[in-house]
Amino acid sequence: MRIAIVADVHANLVSFQAVLRHAEEGGALDAIWCLGDTVGYGPQPNECLDLLRSHEHLAVAGNHDLAACGSMTVDEFNADAAKAALWTGKQLTQSSREYLQSLPLICQRGEFTLVHGSLREPEWEYLLSTSQARAQFALQETRYSIVGHSHMPFVCREIDPEPPTLLFATDGERTGLTEQRLILNPGSAGQPRDGDPRAGYALYDTDAAAVTFARVEYDIAATQRAMKKAGLPRWLSDRLSEGL
Ligand code: ZN
């Protein structure tokens, strides 16, 4: 099976479509695994949810998903994120809202656990340090876990009793799945924040037992035009050009 692993699509339909096209270049896609924050920030929340739901998929809820569907307040959000979350909430169709409300915070499939932030704080923790990785491994019941939320692609390896290693994953990097326990982050498909504005995702090839990270060019200006038309905060649109 070929599975596209995506996180933090953030209602950026143009980038999400580009990611799926890229994933399909190497062969048919069997499923999408989605680490949450499919909506929020961007201009096309329903379209992104429809595209996700048109595929065989697994998904967990992110903080932006929960805020948009009314399952969480925006009290913890910064001003622009809160504004976008409230705008998103107004756009959601009944079907999109109910779908978001139905998503679990944590999902297990085979050797994998999916969670947006971290196992100890699914909605909020930005898992980016070795001490946080250690806490994640302690709670991780499966060999591998996949997170999103930080918008930073990485591979973290457990090397007990040494501290885990957490290394940024670059375009084209391939990680073989062995007995070693891992935490993976595919990066953000809709709002990269590592200085590279290209959409990020990872492809899991079950036959090869490997995950390959990829970055994909997309029409950033098209998304920015849609954001302007929707009246979304300027900074949220500007940052897409920089990947910040
Ligand atoms: Zn996010």
Side-chain angles (χ1 to χ4, degrees):
M1 279 177 72
R2 300 176 77 257
I3 299 165
I5 303 175
V6 301
D8 300 284
V9 169
H10 282 298
N12 188 340
L13 181 66
V14 183
S15 66
F16 192 19
Q17 287 171 329
V19 157
L20 295 186
R21 265 199 307 274
H22 185 272
E24 283 162 352
E25 274 167 17
L29 203 54
D30 296 290
I32 300 173
W33 287 359
C34 174
L35 280 303
D37 278 5
T38 305
V39 305
Y41 292 136
Q44 283 142 325
N46 292 306
E47 292 85 344
C48 287
L49 289 171
D50 290 345
L51 182 55
L52 173 66
R53 295 168 72 188
S54 71
H55 288 76
E56 182 71 35
H57 73 282
L58 292 178
V60 290
N63 52 317
H64 286 263
D65 301 321
L66 295 169
C69 73
S71 296
M72 177 192 276
T73 68
V74 295
D75 297 350
E76 305 287 320
F77 283 53
N78 68 45
D80 282 348
K83 201 172 168 199
L86 296 172
W87 179 88
T88 304
K90 287 194 200 113
Q91 312 304 313
L92 291 182
T93 62
Q94 182 72 9
S95 171
S96 291
R97 183 171 291 106
E98 286 173 5
Y99 170 77
L100 291 175
Q101 287 169 342
S102 76
L103 292 175
L105 291 177
I106 299 170
C107 167
Q108 278 187 18
R109 173 66 58 95
E111 291 286 354
F112 290 84
T113 302
L114 278 58
V115 64
H116 181 63
S118 73
L119 288 169
R120 65 179 176 181
E121 239 186 307
E123 301 102 316
W124 291 112
E125 186 170 20
Y126 292 92
L127 199 166
L128 285 168
S129 72
T130 53
S131 64
Q132 290 172 308
R134 226 174 203 159
Q136 175 88 350
F137 281 125
L139 294 170
Q140 190 172 309
E141 293 170 355
T142 56
R143 188 171 293 162
Y144 317 113
S145 68
I146 316 176
V147 301
H149 194 47
S150 68
H151 300 208
M152 301 293 273
F154 68 72
V155 178
C156 178
R157 298 172 187 280
E158 186 178 51
I159 321 176
D160 230 15
E162 301 296 314
T165 57
L166 198 152
L167 295 171
F168 183 76
T170 53
D171 184 22
E173 185 169 326
R174 189 173 186 273
T175 298
L177 300 177
T178 64
E179 303 228 320
Q180 187 172 44
R181 299 175 84 217
L182 302 175
I183 306 166
L184 306 169
N185 187 325
S188 170
Q191 193 202 76
R193 292 183 192 161
D194 57 3
D196 180 345
R198 294 177 298 169
Y201 82 104
L203 188 89
Y204 171 31
D205 183 335
T206 62
D207 293 337
V211 172
T212 304
F213 291 81
R215 299 306 282 260
V216 184
E217 305 253 11
Y218 74 96
D219 188 350
I220 296 172
T223 294
Q224 290 172 324
R225 281 194 299 274
M227 290 177 79
K228 191 172 179 192
K229 202 170 163 198
L232 285 160
R234 175 79 189 271
W235 155 242
L236 297 179
S237 167
D238 288 350
R239 69 189 302 178
L240 294 177
S241 308
E242 313 295 328
L244 293 173

